[in-house]
Amino acid sequence: MTEGNTRQYTVQKSDEQWRAELSPAEFQVLRKAGTERPFTGEYTDTKTVGVYKCRACDAELFRSETKFDSHCGWPSFFAPLAEDRVEYIEDHDLGMKRVEVRCANCGSHLGHVFEGEGYGTPTDLRYCINSVSLSLAPAE
């Protein structure tokens, strides 16, 4: 996680608690800001209608209506369910400026958001989110 972040989240647990609840891959991405390999996530090409939730705390984050095919290797959305559902943190890792997206409820790493890539979505944003950070609740 980004150094120096002192935000208090609604859901707070120790690394030991998170490790007990999450798989090793989930822990690496959600709690250590890792990234799953492209084109390997279960939701990359999913078309199921429903709500995508944080895999760590079950907070509702994205709706399937905002998911689009970006062909980047990860699930892509053009907007979160609501702006207060996610948190944005400037990320200067890997020698580039990116904007990290975290769950505003528990602080778990979700992915990054990119702007101005020309996808023709209503917001011109691409929330590039790791499948392992999400769980899908299909619509009834």
Side-chain angles (χ1 to χ4, degrees):
M1 306 300 273
T2 303
E3 296 282 324
N5 185 23
T6 58
R7 177 179 166 151
Q8 296 296 309
Y9 297 101
T10 302
V11 175
Q12 294 189 43
K13 298 179 184 181
S14 68
D15 273 358
E16 292 75 28
Q17 290 171 304
W18 286 120
R19 281 185 199 279
E21 295 177 17
L22 302 170
S23 73
E26 291 167 349
F27 182 82
Q28 181 59 33
V29 172
L30 288 159
R31 303 310 307 167
K32 297 300 177 188
T35 301
E36 65 190 353
R37 290 189 332 271
F39 302 103
T40 62
E42 69 179 300
Y43 300 126
T44 302
D45 297 315
T46 299
K47 305 285 188 218
T48 304
V49 174
V51 176
Y52 289 87
K53 299 179 177 186
C54 175
R55 183 139 343 182
C57 73
D58 218 29
E60 293 184 350
L61 301 171
F62 298 95
R63 292 202 182 278
S64 59
E65 293 83 7
T66 64
K67 190 172 185 288
F68 69 100
D69 293 325
S70 66
H71 309 287
C72 71
W74 293 274
S76 296
F77 303 86
F78 60 78
L81 191 130
E83 279 300 318
D84 66 348
R85 304 298 175 99
V86 295
E87 172 184 29
Y88 304 99
I89 297 174
E90 279 198 20
D91 175 356
H92 296 280
D93 290 344
L94 305 175
M96 63 178 120
K97 180 184 170 190
R98 301 185 297 176
V99 177
E100 179 186 3
V101 180
R102 290 189 190 175
C103 173
N105 193 50
C106 71
S108 288
H109 174 78
L110 303 171
H112 291 86
V113 62
F114 301 95
E115 183 177 15
E117 296 179 316
Y119 279 104
T121 59
T123 62
D124 198 26
L125 297 173
R126 177 174 59 93
Y127 288 79
C128 182
I129 307 298
N130 292 283
S131 286
V132 75
S133 296
L134 303 171
S135 62
L136 173 60
E140 304 272 325

